[in-house]
mmCIF file of all heavy atoms in Angstrom:
data_model
loop_
_atom_site.group_PDB
_atom_site.id
_atom_site.type_symbol
_atom_site.label_atom_id
_atom_site.label_comp_id
_atom_site.label_asym_id
_atom_site.label_seq_id
_atom_site.Cartn_x
_atom_site.Cartn_y
_atom_site.Cartn_z
ATOM 1 N N VAL A 1 14.947 2.099 -2.963
ATOM 2 C CA VAL A 1 14.297 2.286 -1.652
ATOM 3 C C VAL A 1 13.237 3.325 -1.785
ATOM 4 O O VAL A 1 12.132 3.263 -1.148
ATOM 5 C CB VAL A 1 15.473 2.829 -0.624
ATOM 6 C CG1 VAL A 1 14.806 3.209 0.570
ATOM 7 C CG2 VAL A 1 16.556 1.680 -0.410
ATOM 8 N N THR A 2 13.311 4.385 -2.491
ATOM 9 C CA THR A 2 12.338 5.391 -2.668
ATOM 10 C C THR A 2 11.071 4.850 -3.279
ATOM 11 O O THR A 2 9.978 5.119 -2.791
ATOM 12 C CB THR A 2 12.805 6.590 -3.477
ATOM 13 O OG1 THR A 2 14.040 7.064 -2.926
ATOM 14 C CG2 THR A 2 11.813 7.668 -3.620
ATOM 15 N N ILE A 3 11.256 4.054 -4.362
ATOM 16 C CA ILE A 3 10.091 3.458 -4.976
ATOM 17 C C ILE A 3 9.378 2.402 -4.055
ATOM 18 O O ILE A 3 8.132 2.254 -4.081
ATOM 19 C CB ILE A 3 10.451 2.854 -6.317
ATOM 20 C CG1 ILE A 3 11.085 3.914 -7.228
ATOM 21 C CG2 ILE A 3 9.201 2.172 -6.944
ATOM 22 C CD1 ILE A 3 10.238 5.052 -7.525
ATOM 23 N N GLN A 4 10.204 1.643 -3.274
ATOM 24 C CA GLN A 4 9.747 0.736 -2.324
ATOM 25 C C GLN A 4 8.773 1.315 -1.262
ATOM 26 O O GLN A 4 7.576 0.945 -1.134
ATOM 27 C CB GLN A 4 10.767 0.120 -1.488
ATOM 28 C CG GLN A 4 11.506 -1.014 -2.241
ATOM 29 C CD GLN A 4 12.600 -1.618 -1.285
ATOM 30 O OE1 GLN A 4 12.525 -1.563 -0.116
ATOM 31 N NE2 GLN A 4 13.584 -2.272 -1.900
ATOM 32 N N ALA A 5 9.137 2.568 -0.826
ATOM 33 C CA ALA A 5 8.376 3.227 0.068
ATOM 34 C C ALA A 5 6.989 3.673 -0.514
ATOM 35 O O ALA A 5 5.886 3.758 -0.007
ATOM 36 C CB ALA A 5 9.117 4.415 0.695
ATOM 37 N N GLN A 6 7.057 4.221 -1.835
ATOM 38 C CA GLN A 6 5.915 4.692 -2.538
ATOM 39 C C GLN A 6 4.889 3.512 -2.640
ATOM 40 O O GLN A 6 3.753 3.684 -2.646
ATOM 41 C CB GLN A 6 6.349 5.267 -3.922
ATOM 42 C CG GLN A 6 7.069 6.567 -3.759
ATOM 43 C CD GLN A 6 7.596 6.984 -5.047
ATOM 44 O OE1 GLN A 6 7.289 6.512 -6.083
ATOM 45 N NE2 GLN A 6 8.317 8.170 -5.041
ATOM 46 N N ILE A 7 5.491 2.340 -3.047
ATOM 47 C CA ILE A 7 4.535 1.182 -3.349
ATOM 48 C C ILE A 7 3.876 0.786 -2.046
ATOM 49 O O ILE A 7 2.683 0.525 -2.024
ATOM 50 C CB ILE A 7 5.408 0.096 -4.043
ATOM 51 C CG1 ILE A 7 5.793 0.573 -5.342
ATOM 52 C CG2 ILE A 7 4.511 -1.157 -4.081
ATOM 53 C CD1 ILE A 7 4.713 0.887 -6.327
ATOM 54 N N LEU A 8 4.638 0.673 -0.954
ATOM 55 C CA LEU A 8 3.997 0.267 0.328
ATOM 56 C C LEU A 8 2.953 1.336 0.751
ATOM 57 O O LEU A 8 1.937 0.931 1.254
ATOM 58 C CB LEU A 8 5.123 0.088 1.375
ATOM 59 C CG LEU A 8 6.084 -1.061 1.166
ATOM 60 C CD1 LEU A 8 7.141 -1.058 2.156
ATOM 61 C CD2 LEU A 8 5.212 -2.336 1.464
ATOM 62 N N ASP A 9 3.335 2.583 0.582
ATOM 63 C CA ASP A 9 2.325 3.635 1.048
ATOM 64 C C ASP A 9 1.022 3.498 0.172
ATOM 65 O O ASP A 9 -0.022 3.729 0.744
ATOM 66 C CB ASP A 9 2.930 5.039 0.802
ATOM 67 C CG ASP A 9 3.908 5.334 1.929
ATOM 68 O OD1 ASP A 9 4.055 4.622 2.995
ATOM 69 O OD2 ASP A 9 4.799 6.308 1.757
ATOM 70 N N LEU A 10 1.231 3.179 -1.101
ATOM 71 C CA LEU A 10 0.131 3.026 -2.037
ATOM 72 C C LEU A 10 -0.818 1.872 -1.564
ATOM 73 O O LEU A 10 -1.989 2.006 -1.522
ATOM 74 C CB LEU A 10 0.528 2.893 -3.483
ATOM 75 C CG LEU A 10 -0.582 2.487 -4.480
ATOM 76 C CD1 LEU A 10 -1.587 3.621 -4.454
ATOM 77 C CD2 LEU A 10 0.082 2.297 -5.747
ATOM 78 N N ILE A 11 -0.205 0.720 -1.239
ATOM 79 C CA ILE A 11 -1.013 -0.466 -0.788
ATOM 80 C C ILE A 11 -1.672 -0.092 0.491
ATOM 81 O O ILE A 11 -2.793 -0.466 0.651
ATOM 82 C CB ILE A 11 -0.038 -1.695 -0.643
ATOM 83 C CG1 ILE A 11 0.432 -2.126 -1.927
ATOM 84 C CG2 ILE A 11 -0.796 -2.811 0.087
ATOM 85 C CD1 ILE A 11 1.495 -3.190 -1.834
ATOM 86 N N LEU A 12 -1.058 0.595 1.410
ATOM 87 C CA LEU A 12 -1.741 0.849 2.698
ATOM 88 C C LEU A 12 -2.858 1.995 2.423
ATOM 89 O O LEU A 12 -3.877 1.859 3.137
ATOM 90 C CB LEU A 12 -0.673 1.470 3.694
ATOM 91 C CG LEU A 12 0.331 0.509 4.235
ATOM 92 C CD1 LEU A 12 1.333 1.191 5.041
ATOM 93 C CD2 LEU A 12 -0.242 -0.674 4.951
ATOM 94 N N GLU A 13 -2.673 2.822 1.546
ATOM 95 C CA GLU A 13 -3.708 3.866 1.247
ATOM 96 C C GLU A 13 -4.894 3.190 0.590
ATOM 97 O O GLU A 13 -6.030 3.476 1.025
ATOM 98 C CB GLU A 13 -3.171 4.896 0.289
ATOM 99 C CG GLU A 13 -4.149 6.002 -0.201
ATOM 100 C CD GLU A 13 -3.546 6.852 -1.232
ATOM 101 O OE1 GLU A 13 -2.351 6.946 -1.394
ATOM 102 O OE2 GLU A 13 -4.378 7.358 -2.081
ATOM 103 N N LEU A 14 -4.628 2.273 -0.332
ATOM 104 C CA LEU A 14 -5.792 1.594 -0.963
ATOM 105 C C LEU A 14 -6.524 0.672 0.040
ATOM 106 O O LEU A 14 -7.749 0.621 0.019
ATOM 107 C CB LEU A 14 -5.331 0.719 -2.131
ATOM 108 C CG LEU A 14 -4.812 1.580 -3.334
ATOM 109 C CD1 LEU A 14 -4.125 0.630 -4.360
ATOM 110 C CD2 LEU A 14 -5.929 2.228 -3.953
ATOM 111 N N GLN A 15 -5.760 0.088 0.939
ATOM 112 C CA GLN A 15 -6.381 -0.767 2.002
ATOM 113 C C GLN A 15 -7.274 0.084 2.905
ATOM 114 O O GLN A 15 -8.398 -0.344 3.278
ATOM 115 C CB GLN A 15 -5.308 -1.444 2.841
ATOM 116 C CG GLN A 15 -5.813 -2.378 3.946
ATOM 117 C CD GLN A 15 -4.717 -2.996 4.838
ATOM 118 O OE1 GLN A 15 -3.691 -2.378 4.967
ATOM 119 N NE2 GLN A 15 -5.030 -4.047 5.417
ATOM 120 N N ALA A 16 -6.707 1.200 3.417
ATOM 121 C CA ALA A 16 -7.507 1.972 4.190
ATOM 122 C C ALA A 16 -8.798 2.516 3.500
ATOM 123 O O ALA A 16 -9.822 2.609 4.060
ATOM 124 C CB ALA A 16 -6.704 3.312 4.714
ATOM 125 N N ARG A 17 -8.658 2.811 2.153
ATOM 126 C CA ARG A 17 -9.839 3.328 1.443
ATOM 127 C C ARG A 17 -10.806 2.227 1.204
ATOM 128 O O ARG A 17 -12.116 2.535 1.278
ATOM 129 C CB ARG A 17 -9.340 3.923 0.249
ATOM 130 C CG ARG A 17 -10.465 4.604 -0.725
ATOM 131 C CD ARG A 17 -9.998 4.885 -2.140
ATOM 132 N NE ARG A 17 -8.707 5.835 -2.034
ATOM 133 C CZ ARG A 17 -8.042 6.112 -3.123
ATOM 134 N NH1 ARG A 17 -8.317 5.606 -4.296
ATOM 135 N NH2 ARG A 17 -6.978 7.067 -2.928
ATOM 136 N N GLU A 18 -10.364 0.998 0.748
ATOM 137 C CA GLU A 18 -11.288 0.008 0.448
ATOM 138 C C GLU A 18 -11.764 -0.975 1.619
ATOM 139 O O GLU A 18 -12.684 -1.780 1.340
ATOM 140 C CB GLU A 18 -10.703 -0.752 -0.658
ATOM 141 C CG GLU A 18 -10.173 0.142 -2.013
ATOM 142 C CD GLU A 18 -11.422 0.729 -2.679
ATOM 143 O OE1 GLU A 18 -12.542 0.396 -2.446
ATOM 144 O OE2 GLU A 18 -11.102 1.838 -3.232
ATOM 145 N N GLY A 19 -10.886 -0.935 2.597
ATOM 146 C CA GLY A 19 -11.231 -1.877 3.720
ATOM 147 C C GLY A 19 -10.846 -3.375 3.477
ATOM 148 O O GLY A 19 -11.399 -4.265 4.190
ATOM 149 N N MET A 20 -9.979 -3.465 2.575
ATOM 150 C CA MET A 20 -9.601 -4.977 2.235
ATOM 151 C C MET A 20 -8.468 -5.392 3.214
ATOM 152 O O MET A 20 -7.975 -4.715 4.031
ATOM 153 C CB MET A 20 -8.927 -4.934 0.817
ATOM 154 C CG MET A 20 -7.680 -4.262 0.615
ATOM 155 S SD MET A 20 -6.991 -4.323 -1.064
ATOM 156 C CE MET A 20 -5.525 -3.347 -0.847
ATOM 157 N N SER A 21 -8.446 -6.738 3.247
ATOM 158 C CA SER A 21 -7.324 -7.429 3.994
ATOM 159 C C SER A 21 -6.245 -7.657 3.099
ATOM 160 O O SER A 21 -6.342 -7.786 1.896
ATOM 161 C CB SER A 21 -7.840 -8.777 4.578
ATOM 162 O OG SER A 21 -9.046 -8.583 5.317
ATOM 163 N N VAL A 22 -4.990 -7.671 3.684
ATOM 164 C CA VAL A 22 -3.808 -7.905 2.940
ATOM 165 C C VAL A 22 -2.927 -9.047 3.612
ATOM 166 O O VAL A 22 -2.710 -9.029 4.765
ATOM 167 C CB VAL A 22 -2.963 -6.618 2.924
ATOM 168 C CG1 VAL A 22 -1.642 -6.865 2.202
ATOM 169 C CG2 VAL A 22 -3.674 -5.400 2.247
ATOM 170 N N LEU A 23 -2.462 -9.921 2.787
ATOM 171 C CA LEU A 23 -1.560 -10.918 3.199
ATOM 172 C C LEU A 23 -0.133 -10.492 2.559
ATOM 173 O O LEU A 23 -0.052 -10.615 1.306
ATOM 174 C CB LEU A 23 -1.953 -12.333 2.702
ATOM 175 C CG LEU A 23 -0.982 -13.508 3.001
ATOM 176 C CD1 LEU A 23 -0.792 -13.584 4.471
ATOM 177 C CD2 LEU A 23 -1.390 -14.740 2.340
ATOM 178 N N LEU A 24 0.672 -9.974 3.377
ATOM 179 C CA LEU A 24 1.955 -9.439 2.918
ATOM 180 C C LEU A 24 3.054 -10.451 3.077
ATOM 181 O O LEU A 24 3.407 -10.794 4.168
ATOM 182 C CB LEU A 24 2.225 -8.208 3.668
ATOM 183 C CG LEU A 24 3.614 -7.420 3.227
ATOM 184 C CD1 LEU A 24 3.624 -7.027 1.899
ATOM 185 C CD2 LEU A 24 3.863 -6.317 4.250
#
């Protein structure tokens, strides 16, 4: 669970920084 949260936060951080779209 802890690593799950870190990976999701990382994807959202990169999305916000790069402006990409995500199909989750």
Side-chain angles (χ1 to χ4, degrees):
V1 175
T2 302
I3 303 302
Q4 283 184 17
Q6 293 175 2
I7 294 299
L8 287 172
D9 288 345
L10 173 60
I11 292 173
L12 292 176
E13 176 189 336
L14 293 172
Q15 179 185 27
R17 182 189 304 171
E18 307 297 337
M20 67 182 178
S21 302
V22 176
L23 180 62
L24 177 63

